[in-house]
Amino acid sequence: MTQEQKFQAKIDEEIRIEPKDWMPEAYRKTLIRQISQHAHSEIVGMLPEGNWITRAPSLRRKVALLAKVQDEAGHGLYLYSAAETLGAERDDMIEDLHSGKAKYSSIFNYPTLTWADIGAIGWLVDGAAIMNQVPLCRCSYGPYARAMVRVCKEESFHQRQGYEIMLTLAKGTEEQKAMAQDALNRWWWPSLMMFGPNDKDSKHTQQSMDWKIKRFTNDELRQRFVDMTVPQAEYLGLTVPDPDIKWNEEEGHYDFGKINWEEFWNVVKGNGPCNKQRIRARKKAYDDGAWVREAAMAYAEKRRKRSEAEAGIKVA
Ligand code: BYC
């Protein structure tokens, strides 16, 4: 058996691949691409929500939103660490985000215009993220799979906080209900796009499924999301902005309309409503935070020297 065949046999037997194990270069590259994009999405994903921290309608909402945004930062950090176990350098990954070379999720290039958008993001965007990420807890690469366990637990709290905001608005005044409907109208289609291109146009799916990085295809996950979410919209008394949504008895699924792929690729290529603003904000945050990184490094160096000196005393 070649090394490649042994590797695939391990995958087929559901044995996890760990950082020091042999792996094909293409497997390593695919994981670095996916994990770093995922990390960038978490980090950029803080921006649309951060926009509402100072304007949250109550202390309770503010505390929950702050906690959620902090969680996203934590997810980004675990994911950068997971990518580092594959030999990627954090500075390079961040440079690729800032230069526009690396992708991040299309969804975070849309603006958050009203408070209801915070509800819609939690409900739909985190809902879509959970649908995509729960299977990643079974990803063949150990560090990514393990990081996903905690991430998914936190995402499920995020989804609930979003749905609860939507529920409050939907059961509120006419004006509040209209805000909730407007947010659903604007976030529905971009949420379906989060799952990526249709299977026939997805260049990585087949290989990633064979390597058990992905456990379901983009279309399978998107369909599950629609099936889960349409009844939730009904419970809220809101209307999904797709006239083609219809329960298909034979298939046991909801049929839905055509996704605007031109819009999707336009956003992915950097021309969405907020792409430029998001990257500008990230670069500024990175530059403004330089002193924190320098201080942390200086402190770590001081501690290292002190413990070396103490070890020296003990030896003496
Ligand atoms: N946006 O062959 P495909 C979250 C790219 S949730 C931008 O299907 P793959 C969060 C794709 O990268 C969001 N680009 O690729 C939630 C590829 O380009 P490259 C992040 C997209 O990898 C709430 C090309 O299109 N989640 O973080 O098999 C609050 C062809 O696609 C998108 C993850 O990253 C998109 N929507 O499947 C805060 C989960 N879709 O790389 C944060 C992990 C596709 O060849 N990632 N592209 O240049 C995945 O599961 C998979 O990478 C994807 C795409 C399903 C996203």
Side-chain angles (χ1 to χ4, degrees), residues 235-274:
Y235 184 76
L236 292 172
L238 300 178
T239 309
V240 172
D242 176 357
D244 295 329
I245 289 267
K246 217 171 100 218
W247 177 251
N248 182 327
E249 193 63 54
E250 227 166 82
E251 303 275 337
H253 289 299
Y254 282 94
D255 291 334
F256 56 97
K258 277 207 165 59
I259 292 173
N260 181 347
W261 292 114
E262 200 182 317
E263 173 182 328
F264 170 75
W265 289 115
N266 202 33
V267 174
V268 171
K269 283 181 191 140
N271 305 316
C274 299

Side-chain angles (χ1 to χ4, degrees), residues 33-34 37-38 41-42 45-46 49 68 72 103-108 121 125-126 129 132-133 136 144 155 158 193-197 201-205 208 214 218 264-265 268:
R33 177 183 63 78
Q34 176 164 331
Q37 283 177 8
H38 193 164
S41 304
E42 299 282 355
M46 291 193 281
E49 294 178 299
K68 176 180 195 285
E72 317 292 7
K103 292 190 171 75
Y104 59 89
S105 184
S106 49
I107 192 77
F108 301 117
I121 290 182
V125 176
D126 288 276
N132 166 277
Q133 287 166 203
L136 291 175
Y144 191 29
E155 297 290 13
H158 299 169
M193 293 175 196
M194 279 176 75
F195 294 93
D201 301 316
S202 165
K203 56 183 172 179
H204 301 299
T205 292
S208 290
K214 284 168 90 158
N218 299 354
F264 170 75
W265 289 115
V268 171

Side-chain angles (χ1 to χ4, degrees), residues 125-307:
V125 176
D126 288 276
I130 294 169
M131 198 55 86
N132 166 277
Q133 287 166 203
V134 166
L136 291 175
C137 298
R138 293 190 294 121
C139 164
S140 56
Y141 187 58
Y144 191 29
R146 289 189 287 273
M148 279 301 112
V149 174
R150 177 163 172 182
V151 168
C152 286
K153 284 190 179 147
E154 292 177 348
E155 297 290 13
S156 99
F157 148 69
H158 299 169
Q159 201 268 354
R160 277 157 179 265
Q161 72 89 41
Y163 195 70
E164 204 227 340
I165 292 173
M166 293 303 277
L167 199 55
T168 307
L169 293 173
K171 306 272 174 252
T173 62
E174 275 311 305
E175 209 182 346
Q176 286 173 315
K177 189 169 175 186
M179 262 171 73
Q181 180 63 55
D182 168 62
L184 171 57
N185 292 349
R186 285 180 292 105
W187 290 91
W188 175 255
W189 290 105
S191 299
L192 296 195
M193 293 175 196
M194 279 176 75
F195 294 93
N198 283 139
D199 293 351
K200 67 175 172 43
D201 301 316
S202 165
K203 56 183 172 179
H204 301 299
T205 292
Q206 189 52 54
Q207 181 62 78
S208 290
M209 299 275 287
D210 290 348
W211 279 332
K212 300 194 178 172
I213 293 172
K214 284 168 90 158
R215 297 284 179 159
F216 298 98
T217 70
N218 299 354
D219 286 337
E220 284 167 349
L221 292 172
R222 189 171 9 248
Q223 183 67 58
R224 285 182 174 206
F225 175 74
V226 171
D227 292 345
M228 177 188 81
T229 312
V230 171
Q232 293 175 347
E234 277 166 10
Y235 184 76
L236 292 172
L238 300 178
T239 309
V240 172
D242 176 357
D244 295 329
I245 289 267
K246 217 171 100 218
W247 177 251
N248 182 327
E249 193 63 54
E250 227 166 82
E251 303 275 337
H253 289 299
Y254 282 94
D255 291 334
F256 56 97
K258 277 207 165 59
I259 292 173
N260 181 347
W261 292 114
E262 200 182 317
E263 173 182 328
F264 170 75
W265 289 115
N266 202 33
V267 174
V268 171
K269 283 181 191 140
N271 305 316
C274 299
N275 296 59
K276 291 186 181 65
Q277 181 185 330
R278 299 285 182 246
I279 294 298
R280 207 181 314 125
R282 273 317 313 157
K283 279 190 189 156
K284 183 173 182 319
Y286 189 76
D287 293 343
D288 290 351
W291 70 272
V292 179
R293 293 189 298 278
E294 281 159 23
M297 294 295 278
Y299 181 64
E301 182 62 13
K302 195 165 111 184
R303 284 186 57 147
R304 188 184 63 78
K305 281 197 179 136
R306 190 185 301 150
S307 69

